[in-house]
Amino acid sequence: QVRLVESGGGLVQAGGSLRLSCAASGSIFSDNVMGWYRQAAGKQRELVASIAFGGRSNYADSVKGRFTISRDNAENTVYLQMNSLKPEDTAVYYCNLDLYRVPGGSYWGKGTLVTVSA
């Protein structure tokens, strides 16, 4: 089984920064993509950023230039550095591990709340 544990959420003023971490444990293969998604109240969950095992990353247009995703493969950990935060970034942020070669191999953390005050 795979377990994901997120940390680093909290309350911050607009313009501030937060760093989210997500540690994965269990049977993890190198053919994977780790990512961060978010879900604001009343909205659908959306991709924020993702990063492949080899380091290739992808960002939502709304966070480009402000957020940076990185990973430590030795520790099976993914990070999301969030700078210049805006009130519209307020959401529950979820970590995802996609073992794309394994049927049903997509796993989610429980989420961490990020609140950005104006």
Side-chain angles (χ1 to χ4, degrees), residues 65-117:
R66 301 188 298 122
F67 292 9
T68 302
I69 192 169
S70 60
R71 62 187 291 167
D72 182 336
N73 291 332
E75 298 293 330
N76 291 318
T77 300
V78 64
Y79 305 95
L80 185 68
Q81 177 66 43
M82 304 185 294
N83 298 328
S84 302
L85 282 160
K86 303 175 181 179
E88 50 263 45
D89 294 318
T90 295
V92 177
Y93 283 70
Y94 296 91
C95 177
N96 175 262
L97 170 66
D98 183 13
L99 304 175
Y100 50 82
R101 296 192 185 278
V102 177
S106 181
Y107 300 90
W108 294 91
K110 293 183 178 180
T112 184
L113 177 62
V114 171
T115 303
V116 184
S117 62

Side-chain angles (χ1 to χ4, degrees), residues 34-57:
M34 297 189 79
W36 289 96
Y37 290 71
R38 67 186 180 187
Q39 187 166 17
K43 295 187 178 181
Q44 290 188 331
R45 190 174 297 188
E46 62 176 1
L47 173 68
V48 176
S50 63
I51 185 167
F53 187 86
R56 186 172 183 176
S57 60

